[in-house]
Amino acid sequence: MNKLRFQAIQDAVSRIPNEFYTDQKKSTLFASHVFNKKVMRTFLTKQAFQEVDQAIEKGKKIDRSVADHVAASMKDWAISMNATHYTHWFQPLTGATAEKHDAFFDIDPYGESLEHFDGSQLVQQEPDASSFPSGGIRNTFEARGYTAWDPSSPAFIYGTTLCIPTIFVSYTGEALDNKTPLLRALHAIDDAATQVAKYFDKHVSRVQATLGWEQEYFLVDKALASSRPDIMLTGRTLVGHPPPKGQQLDDHYFGSIPSRAITFMRELEYECMLLGIPVKTRHNEVAPNQFELAPIFEEANLAVDHNALLMDIMGKTASRHHFKVLLHEKPFAGINGSGKHNNWSLQTSTGVNLLSPGKTPMSNLQFLTFFITTIKAVQNYEDLIRSSIASAGNDHRLGANEAPPAIISVFIGSQLSQVLDDLAQVSKGKLSPKEKTDLKLNVVGKIPEILLDNTDRNRTSPFAFTGNKFEFRAVGSNQNCAIPMTVLNTIVAKQLIDFKRDVDALIKTKKLKKDDAIFNVLREYVKTTKTILFDGDGYSSSWEKEAKRRGLSNLKSTPEALGVWMRDEVIDLFDSMDVMNPIEQKARYEIQLEQYVQCIEIESLVLENLINNQILPTSFKYQQILVQNVVGLKEIYQKDYLNHSHVALETIEKISTLCSTLSAACADLVRARDKANSMSKIEDRAHMYAKNVMPIFDELRTAADGLELIVEDSSWPLAKYRELLFLR
Ligand code: ADP
Ligand code: MG
């Protein structure tokens, strides 16, 4: 084994930290670093508390004098918790989180200390954020963007900094972040779903979207990862031969978690607890060194913030444990990638989960209404759903033989399919009393039993109904949930508005009773949603053919998928729902294309370096040793030397061939990249990267991995899969 690699492994083993230990009970830890309602009740006056509460619950504006009072209380609380700085915490379009810390105190020119945090700092800030992507909305030389307090997500203390969740918008009001469109989409679904829920219970005053994400990730030793520029710079391995023992045995899945990983998880969970992230489950995933962490679900905006925060905390905590956490969707070729299931549902102000059936036929009709409108929304916008999870990283998962395919379909199980088939038979117009009784007893009435037994979970479906929620499984592990959540909530909101319009029209023009009208509209919806429902094996090649026949999209690369954003219906949809205006959409489209191009360009540069500076030189050195070996054998055996040196000669030959392939493919890579970069339009550049640059990665990898197998282990400079992937 290579000396450096050997040393790194020794270091890794010797550095396994002691147990992480805290004697505080989980219940006292939970949210102890969060300025939530409980803390506000103690720190705010009654009137201020009520105003903030109204802002949280109803989105009401906060009066400036109240903001001053809240800021003062927030600062007192933060200082009592040993915080020294504050920051507006936001999610720019890079998908990551951003913060700029300012101290609470300053010194004035006369040496006196000065307090630095009042309502104006709480409510609005102007970060010097000209380098955040804006897709042309905000020219760097003119208006800057500003961040504005989002009271619906509570402030928290991380380390010694008070973090205030904010939105990030341009002076002309356009969203420069992921949170603003999400909040608008959540507002849209609240309005639309409340209107429909009132058909069933007039006391419903609000509907919240709920989100429970499941975060998958890999842990690798930091020292070993440092030997790999590809992991350090791109978050994934660009070369590397799969180990002889991979995940074939499935012995990692739900197996016991390695003690080093457990220690990391304990500290991570402790940090999450302080910040009010209700983490609940942890377990091994399918691949070696792959794990998952999932919280209890929350209101979607808070859940999105918590996931973004978690990804940040993970990296920092991992570092303290000498790990590097890999959130990339496909860090290792030939080994399962990582996703982030987004479990989604709707919950009323009366505490009812709208995707869960109740005790009465009417509440089950309510369930069917929300269930069917969601399916119809997904059917109408299946390609938009696909585009909401498009990224260079996720392209490695979608369509690969282990993860949800690039085709969006909905799984509901055979029994619910039967319910829908029965519903499709409902007669037109007014229902007879007998038909109504039949429906109530045999169709709607049966739903609760069905759902109790809805264990038939198809793991290959990208969008599955799992008992009381939909589970969007195609989201990538590294993505900010805001975009898929914005899309899903917008399309369902739109469908609910259409549904209400259709039902009201039947009540008004055909004089139908409310439930007759609902049955009639649902019947028509069910008839048109057949093509999106699929219960079979989503990974099979026959499904690709079948999906094509059904007219479903199969957008395999990010540039293809992103094209959907610019379709007229999509622009109209977001515009008419007040979620994004056309300028904001165009900006997002361009930023995402740019990110795609940058990601692959960086990967290609790193790969080129790896090949030219590490893989080829190492291979030549080893080849030289073999050449010397053959020269020596020739001296000893003279004419007979071929009998003794054929293995060495064959290896020399193989190395030559692989090096030539590698070198030629590397030249192709540079040419393809240059050609793509010469395109002036970002769309063209992105498509060229997908079509002409990406395929060369595979060629390079095959040749490089061939060399890894031949060249003596002790000189190979990069930590190998078998070393990276099995924690000790
Ligand atoms: P799985 O088999 O996929 O692990 P679980 O039943 O453990 O399924 O739930 C997975 C996730 O679903 C959890 O994060 C949980 O919080 C979330 N979840 C459960 N109910 C809801 C809901 N009503 N809305 C949103 N997410 C939910
Ligand atoms: Mg799941």
Side-chain angles (χ1 to χ4, degrees), residues 89-129:
W89 183 81
F90 59 104
Q91 296 165 43
L93 295 171
T94 52
T97 56
E99 48 199 80
K100 175 185 162 238
H101 298 195
D102 284 305
F104 281 124
F105 293 102
D106 214 349
I107 304 292
D108 72 11
Y110 310 101
E112 297 289 317
S113 80
L114 205 71
E115 286 204 355
H116 204 63
F117 188 72
D118 60 20
S120 66
Q121 269 102 8
L122 168 66
V123 173
Q124 191 169 317
Q125 294 244 313
E126 220 184 291
D128 178 15

Side-chain angles (χ1 to χ4, degrees), residues 598-636:
Q598 270 167 13
C599 172
I600 298 176
E601 181 172 27
I602 291 171
E603 286 185 350
S604 76
L605 290 166
V606 171
L607 186 54
E608 198 190 328
N609 281 346
L610 271 181
I611 289 165
N612 290 328
N613 302 335
Q614 306 210 32
I615 297 174
L616 284 178
T618 307
S619 306
F620 291 146
K621 268 191 207 148
Y622 178 57
Q623 195 183 37
Q624 179 60 19
I625 294 174
L626 295 175
V627 169
Q628 275 164 359
N629 170 278
V630 175
V631 171
L633 288 171
K634 197 170 178 185
E635 248 171 50
I636 298 171

Side-chain angles (χ1 to χ4, degrees), residues 58 237 275 461 516 580 673:
K58 304 226 162 76
T237 58
L275 295 168
S461 174
D516 286 356
M580 278 181 274
R673 193 175 62 212

Side-chain angles (χ1 to χ4, degrees), residues 24 49 248 343 420 699:
Q24 270 175 282
F49 175 78
Q248 301 93 330
N343 295 272
L420 296 196
E699 277 174 55

